[in-house]
Amino acid sequence: MKRVFIGMALAALVATTACAQDQSLSNDRPKMHHHRDDAMAQLNLTESQKNELKAINDDFKQQMGELKKSEDKITVTEWKNKMATIRKDHHEKMEKVLTDEQKASLKTMHKEHGKRFRQDNHNRLERMKKELNLTDEQSAAVEKNLIESLKKTKAVNEDKSLTDDQKKAQFKTLHEQEQEGLKSILTPDQWKKYQEQKKNHRYGKPVQS
């Protein structure tokens, strides 16, 4: 279990590195490269390790692309088994690149990022309550909306059967659903102010990794 955890955490890190040039889905989600840069710095990877991880990740993406092309030619069970094998091989190769110290650092970093993520979302809700002058009923509805969105996002993030592109597409859909939910809770004036504040990143929401 520990090996799988480290492999998944490292896979998330390298996947984030690979899409460093991507823009966030909307203005209320900050770019991912800040977390990526912090993680890379804390792991203190050598240039050789960075190159190895990139090569492993590129190979993984190629295999996943080939598997996707064959999804209409094989059964669902065969597809899932091949998916599991590719991911397992990917995690094991990536794990071998890290030293024991880096693995321990990665595990700690992953936990701390989770804590910061939860705190940032709590702060986001508190800012909305204050700046939009939400009623108690609205506050409860907004909190429920955000929690449900987080749960769904986490489920997608942990779904090993999805490719990175499929996850991005689902994240975008979930974000749109979250925004529609907020729009239905807020008054027209509150929604207008919310949109204005989004432009200034006042309600920035951390991206799940």
Side-chain angles (χ1 to χ4, degrees):
M1 180 62 70
K2 182 178 180 181
R3 289 171 62 86
V4 173
F5 172 84
I6 293 174
M8 290 178 65
L10 183 56
L13 168 63
V14 177
T16 303
T17 303
C19 61
Q21 303 302 320
D22 289 351
Q23 296 296 315
S24 58
L25 296 179
S26 73
N27 286 335
D28 74 334
R29 289 176 184 262
K31 295 182 180 65
M32 294 183 289
H33 67 266
H34 298 299
H35 172 56
R36 177 211 67 201
D37 291 342
D38 288 345
M40 294 292 280
Q42 290 182 51
L43 285 182
N44 196 27
L45 298 174
T46 65
E47 287 302 316
S48 176
Q49 285 178 313
K50 292 177 184 178
N51 291 333
E52 286 185 73
L53 291 175
K54 184 178 184 304
I56 291 171
N57 203 53
D58 288 345
D59 180 60
F60 170 73
K61 287 186 175 182
Q62 182 178 348
Q63 291 186 65
M64 292 296 288
E66 293 173 352
L67 179 60
K68 185 176 181 180
K69 293 177 182 178
S70 68
E71 60 185 356
D72 293 331
K73 303 175 183 178
I74 58 178
T75 66
V76 174
T77 299
E78 290 175 325
W79 189 86
K80 288 185 176 180
N81 287 338
K82 288 187 177 183
M83 167 79 75
T85 299
I86 292 174
R87 287 186 179 277
K88 183 174 181 293
D89 181 62
H90 180 225
H91 292 162
E92 290 177 348
K93 286 180 178 178
M94 294 173 73
E95 185 184 21
K96 290 178 181 179
V97 176
L98 297 183
T99 65
D100 290 340
E101 183 178 355
Q102 288 171 328
K103 292 174 187 176
S105 178
L106 180 65
K107 186 175 181 180
T108 299
M109 190 191 316
H110 190 72
K111 290 181 178 179
E112 290 301 317
H113 179 64
K115 291 179 181 178
R116 290 197 299 271
F117 179 77
R118 289 189 292 273
Q119 183 60 48
D120 287 345
N121 278 284
H122 172 74
N123 293 341
R124 179 193 183 198
L125 178 59
E126 290 302 311
R127 286 197 299 271
M128 290 179 70
K129 287 181 181 179
K130 180 180 179 180
E131 297 176 6
L132 300 180
N133 194 28
L134 301 180
T135 64
D136 291 341
E137 184 177 356
Q138 284 180 314
S139 296
V142 168
E143 183 174 15
K144 181 180 179 181
N145 180 63
L146 297 182
I147 290 175
E148 289 180 350
S149 179
L150 285 175
K151 287 181 178 179
K152 292 177 181 178
T153 299
K154 182 179 179 181
V156 171
N157 194 48
E158 295 177 350
D159 189 341
K160 298 180 182 180
S161 68
L162 299 175
T163 65
D164 289 341
D165 287 340
Q166 289 173 327
K167 286 186 178 183
K168 287 181 182 179
Q170 290 200 28
F171 287 150
K172 183 176 181 180
T173 298
L174 290 176
H175 175 65
E176 291 171 349
Q177 291 175 350
E178 176 193 291
Q179 293 300 295
E180 285 300 314
L182 290 176
K183 186 175 182 180
S184 69
I185 296 168
L186 304 178
T187 66
D189 287 342
Q190 288 173 325
W191 178 251
K192 181 179 179 180
K193 185 174 182 180
Y194 172 77
Q195 293 298 310
E196 292 173 349
Q197 295 286 13
K198 276 173 59 178
K199 294 178 182 179
N200 297 320
H201 303 281
R202 289 292 295 150
Y203 303 129
K205 182 177 180 181
V207 173
Q208 183 83 324
S209 58

